[in-house]
Amino acid sequence: MSKPSRHSYVRTHPSEKKHADKTVKAGKPQPASGKRQRQTQGSKSSGKYLAQHQIIAAYQTGLHPRNIHRQDYDFNALIKAYAPLSAYVRPNPYGKLSIDFADADAVKHLNAALLKHHYQIDAWDIPAGFLCPPIPGRVDYLHYLADLLSAQPLDGQNVPTIPKRLYGNKIKALDIGTGANGIYPLLGISQYGWQFVASDIDPQSVSNVQQIAAANTKVSQSLEVRLQQQSSKMFTGIIGADERFDITLCNPPFHASLAEASQGSQRKLANLAANRAAKGHQASKATSKLNFGGQKAELWCDGGEQRFLLDMIAESKAFATQCLWFTSLVSKKENLTACYKALDKVAAISVKTINMTQGSKLTRVLAWTFLDAKQQALWAKYR
C-alpha cells in the first residue's frame, strides 16, 4: 500500500466545490524527544501538549468504497424483503421507482426495508416524532471507524484492508446518544460483528432499542443498552471501572435551541419541496412533519454542537486508558478550531479529522486518543 500523500484535497464535483474542506499536510511522526506537534493550516504551537494531527481527504467515490449503498435503491428487492414498503413506492417522472422523501412514514418504511434486506434486522421501528436516520450516511461512519481501527495509513485514496481481527465480538464499541433508532449498534453488529454498549438519556429511546434488540437474536447477544441518568455526562455512569472500549462514537445534537432546530427543519422541508419541483414531482402532502423527525435530546442541546463536543473532549480525559479511540461526527466545520484547542488542553496524543462526502454534503469524523503508538500496538496485541 502506498504511503499517504503529503498534501491531499477533497475532490468534489465543480458544483460542490464551495462546500469542500481543503485538507492539509498530515502530521509527522512524533519526535523522539517526546514533543508533539500538530500541523494544520495556519496553526502555531501554543502549549506544551500539541497533538500529532492528520486531516484526511474524503474518498473520490463519495460514500465509502465498502458502503453497499453507492448505487440507486433496488425497490423491487426492498419490497420483496419488506412488503409494507410497497404502499409508498411510485414511479417518479423519469419512470424510476422511488418514494416521497418528505413523507415521514415513507422514509421510516424505507429504513425498515433497507435494514431487513441488507442487514438482516427485523422489526425495526421508532415512536412517532423520533429521529429517522439516513442509513447510507450512518453506515459510512462505521466504515471509516473500521479504517481507523485498522491502524493502516489513511489518505482518502487507498482503502485499508480490514484484518480479520477487526471483525467479530473482540471489538467493543460505545455509542453515545443512540436515540430511539439504535442505528449505529444495529449496523455495526450486522456489518462487523462488534460488541456494542449504547447509551441514551431518554428512557423511551432506551426501551425502544431494547425491543428491537429482543426481536433479533444476533443483536440481543451483542448489544447492551444503558440509560444515562446524568444528563450532563457522556462517559461517566456508562463506562464501568474495569471496562475497555476500542472505539466510541457519537452523532451530537446539531442545534443550540428548539427555535434553531425548528428553523433548520423548515429549511430542509423547503429544500425538499424545491428539489421535487425541479424534478417535476407533484407537491408533497407531507408538509407538516419532517422526514427525519427528532426529539430534544436528538436535535438540540444548550450550546449546540460545539458545547456538546467540548464537554465530551473534557470528560474523555478521565477515561484516557479505557478507550483506544474517541470519535464524534462534527457537522459544522467552524466548530473544529475550538475542538482542536480543547484537545490540546487535555493532552491528546493523536488527533485525526476524517472527511466524509455524502452527495453534496460534507461532514467529518473527529477522532482522538491518549495512547501513543507503542501503547496502541500493545492494546491491539492484548485485546
Side-chain angles (χ1 to χ4, degrees):
M1 183 175 293
S2 63
K3 296 180 180 179
S5 59
R6 295 186 62 195
H7 293 81
S8 301
Y9 295 89
V10 175
R11 296 171 174 84
T12 61
H13 188 278
S15 64
E16 300 167 7
K17 283 188 176 179
K18 65 180 180 179
H19 301 293
D21 285 341
K22 195 181 221 183
T23 63
V24 298
K25 188 181 295 184
K28 295 181 179 178
Q30 181 177 326
S33 64
K35 294 182 180 179
R36 296 185 291 274
Q37 294 185 337
R38 180 177 68 230
Q39 296 186 342
T40 57
Q41 194 172 40
S43 69
K44 296 182 179 180
S45 300
S46 59
K48 182 178 180 181
Y49 298 102
L50 289 173
Q52 176 186 318
H53 188 191
Q54 182 184 12
I55 299 180
I56 301 155
Y59 288 110
Q60 296 183 55
T61 54
L63 291 174
H64 192 285
R66 287 196 301 276
N67 196 320
I68 60 177
H69 304 294
R70 292 165 59 200
Q71 306 300 323
D72 292 341
Y73 294 136
D74 184 345
F75 280 98
N76 288 319
L78 292 173
I79 291 170
K80 185 176 181 180
Y82 182 76
L85 176 64
S86 63
Y88 301 92
V89 176
R90 299 286 185 275
N92 64 21
Y94 306 101
K96 293 185 177 181
L97 295 179
S98 187
I99 65 165
D100 179 358
F101 285 92
D103 183 338
D105 289 334
V107 174
K108 186 170 76 169
H109 280 79
L110 173 61
N111 272 15
L114 289 169
L115 288 168
K116 172 66 175 176
H117 179 57
H118 294 292
Y119 303 100
Q120 295 75 54
I121 301 296
D122 290 310
W124 183 85
D125 198 4
I126 52 173
F130 279 76
L131 189 67
C132 188
I135 303 296
R138 296 301 192 260
V139 77
D140 231 39
Y141 184 7
L142 291 164
H143 291 311
Y144 280 98
L145 295 188
D147 288 352
L148 179 66
L149 288 174
S150 75
Q152 297 177 42
L154 305 181
D155 59 9
Q157 299 176 31
N158 300 289
V159 184
T161 299
I162 305 303
K164 289 183 179 180
R165 64 180 174 80
L166 294 184
Y167 288 93
N169 59 15
K170 287 187 177 181
I171 301 300
K172 192 170 183 180
L174 171 60
D175 180 20
I176 299 295
T178 197
N181 56 74
I183 200 64
Y184 289 122
L186 296 178
L187 295 173
I189 292 167
S190 176
Q191 286 280 277
Y192 292 101
W194 296 345
Q195 286 280 337
F196 268 85
V197 170
S199 69
D200 205 278
I201 64 172
D202 177 48
Q204 189 176 4
S205 293
V206 168
S207 177
N208 195 69
V209 177
Q210 289 173 331
Q211 290 179 37
I212 297 170
N216 295 272
T217 301
K218 183 178 179 181
V219 175
S220 65
Q221 294 173 344
S222 302
L223 172 62
E224 181 181 352
V225 190
R226 300 176 185 174
L227 178 65
Q228 173 58 273
Q229 300 187 21
Q230 303 178 64
S231 61
S232 63
K233 300 297 183 180
M234 298 167 204
F235 307 113
T236 304
I238 296 298
I239 299 179
D242 298 323
E243 279 191 301
R244 300 289 185 272
F245 289 92
D246 297 277
I247 200 88
T248 74
L249 56 154
C250 182
N251 185 13
F254 186 76
H255 301 290
S257 67
L258 176 60
E260 184 180 309
S262 298
Q263 291 172 1
S265 296
Q266 291 304 314
R267 283 195 300 272
K268 290 184 178 181
L269 275 175
N271 290 339
L272 279 170
N275 186 53
R276 287 180 59 80
K279 294 182 178 180
H281 292 258
Q282 294 181 354
S284 171
K285 296 180 180 179
T287 56
S288 62
K289 53 185 178 180
L290 192 61
N291 67 320
F292 42 78
Q295 299 294 299
K296 175 190 181 299
E298 295 178 312
L299 291 181
W300 67 277
C301 65
D302 292 338
E305 182 183 69
Q306 183 178 118
R307 181 71 267 160
F308 189 97
L309 290 167
L310 296 181
D311 290 344
M312 173 179 283
I313 290 168
E315 192 180 346
S316 70
K317 179 65 174 178
F319 300 89
T321 62
Q322 291 182 258
C323 299
L324 175 57
W325 284 100
F326 297 89
T327 79
S328 178
L329 292 178
V330 182
S331 294
K332 297 181 179 180
K333 179 186 176 184
E334 58 267 29
N335 289 337
L336 288 173
T337 299
C339 289
Y340 297 153
K341 291 179 179 178
L343 287 164
D344 279 346
K345 186 175 181 180
V346 297
I349 295 288
S350 179
V351 176
K352 296 181 186 292
T353 305
I354 306 170
N355 287 299
M356 303 192 301
T357 302
Q358 299 162 7
S360 61
K361 179 183 178 183
L362 183 69
T363 187
R364 53 209 58 83
V365 177
L366 179 64
W368 66 97
T369 183
F370 296 95
L371 306 182
D372 61 26
K374 183 177 179 180
Q375 291 169 321
Q376 290 180 43
L378 288 172
W379 182 293
K381 183 177 180 179
Y382 296 107
R383 178 181 286 108

